[in-house]
Amino acid sequence: EVQLVESGGGLVQPGGSLRLSCAASGFTFSSHSMNWVRQAPGKGLEWVSYISSSSTTIYYADSVKGRFTISRDNAKNSLYLQMNSLRDEDTAVYYCARVVWSGYYFGSWGQGTLVTVSS
Amino acid sequence: QTVVTQEPSFSVSPGGTVTLTCGLSSGSVSTTYYPSWYQQTPGQAPRTLIYSTNTRSSGVPDRFSGSILENKAALTITGAQADDESDYYCVLYMGSGIWVFGGGTKLTVL
């Protein structure tokens, strides 16, 4: 069974940093591209960042470009999101999601981790 | 900037049929955008319903179907049930590892 488990969320002050992790199991992590998707309280889903299976290709939404860094460690079956210069509007539940390239969609989702940016 | 449009809300009677749509602020949605649909209930992670326009994800009941209707992606629920009351999101693949979500449709079954 595919499992994605996010961790690392919490309360942080504006301008602060936080690192999210996503532990993957039940599939060959090193063969799959991954994404981070977030959802602000009471709002819709927003794609945040993409990383290819070998980390050679990375993309970011304009809203986080220059502040967030996506990475992965295939040996540890883990995905990461380093978030710096956090703003109030970054407050959201952050989900990691597995890409299924045969259909260009998100085939599996974690349960999410809440990041709250507030003073 | 690409904007994916969805109806903010919709209601359907139990047993009824409803079609939710997913469009582009400029241009038409086609299969080349590989539209996918996700269902989300409050406090839960999204659940994949439909991908590649019209392929149901594993375990999804056949009352859910996807299509392209009048230049928009569409999600049709036939024989709506009470537990279909959820938020529904469409996502379009823009290429090069970039996806854009629609704003979501809140479906009420009453």
Side-chain angles (χ1 to χ4, degrees):
Chain A
E1 179 194 2
V2 171
Q3 276 203 314
L4 298 169
V5 180
E6 301 92 339
S7 61
L11 175 63
V12 60
Q13 292 187 336
S17 298
L18 212 55
R19 188 195 195 205
L20 305 183
S21 300
C22 170
S25 61
F27 66 102
T28 305
F29 180 72
S30 59
S31 298
H32 287 264
S33 301
M34 299 292 294
N35 284 272
W36 286 98
V37 175
R38 70 183 180 183
Q39 186 171 37
K43 303 296 185 182
L45 297 165
E46 177 190 16
W47 172 77
V48 172
S49 184
Y50 161 90
I51 186 168
S52 63
S53 57
S54 58
S55 304
T56 52
T57 304
I58 286 173
Y59 295 106
Y60 299 98
D62 287 344
S63 57
V64 307
K65 201 173 295 182
R67 300 187 299 121
F68 289 12
T69 302
I70 191 171
S71 63
R72 64 190 296 161
D73 185 336
N74 286 342
K76 295 183 177 179
N77 290 339
S78 293
L79 173 72
Y80 306 102
L81 186 67
Q82 177 67 44
M83 304 185 296
N84 298 331
S85 303
L86 283 162
R87 307 167 180 168
D88 291 350
E89 56 264 35
D90 295 318
T91 294
V93 174
Y94 286 74
Y95 298 99
C96 61
R98 179 180 68 135
V99 174
V100 179
W101 278 120
S102 60
Y104 298 88
Y105 68 104
F106 304 128
S108 307
W109 298 74
Q111 282 304 303
T113 187
L114 175 62
V115 172
T116 302
V117 183
S118 175
S119 54
Chain B
Q1 182 179 352
T2 301
V3 177
V4 176
T5 60
Q6 294 185 250
E7 299 88 357
S9 63
F10 231 117
S11 64
V12 62
S13 300
T17 296
V18 62
T19 297
L20 312 182
T21 68
C22 172
L24 278 171
S25 54
S26 56
S28 302
V29 176
S30 66
T31 58
T32 59
Y33 287 97
Y34 297 93
S36 54
W37 292 88
Y38 304 85
Q39 178 190 49
Q40 187 184 36
T41 53
Q44 299 297 313
R47 170 197 181 197
T48 306
L49 291 178
I50 300 284
Y51 62 91
S52 296
T53 304
N54 56 13
T55 304
R56 274 187 298 277
S57 188
S58 177
V60 173
D62 60 7
R63 66 177 184 274
F64 292 91
S65 62
S67 63
I68 299 290
L69 288 176
E70 298 179 357
N71 300 318
K72 294 182 178 182
L75 173 70
T76 299
I77 307 173
T78 304
Q81 300 181 1
D83 60 4
D84 295 335
E85 186 162 294
S86 302
D87 295 326
Y88 292 86
Y89 294 92
C90 78
V91 181
L92 301 181
Y93 179 61
M94 297 299 166
S96 301
I98 296 173
W99 286 263
V100 179
F101 282 83
T105 297
K106 184 178 182 63
L107 179 67
T108 301
V109 180
L110 52 73

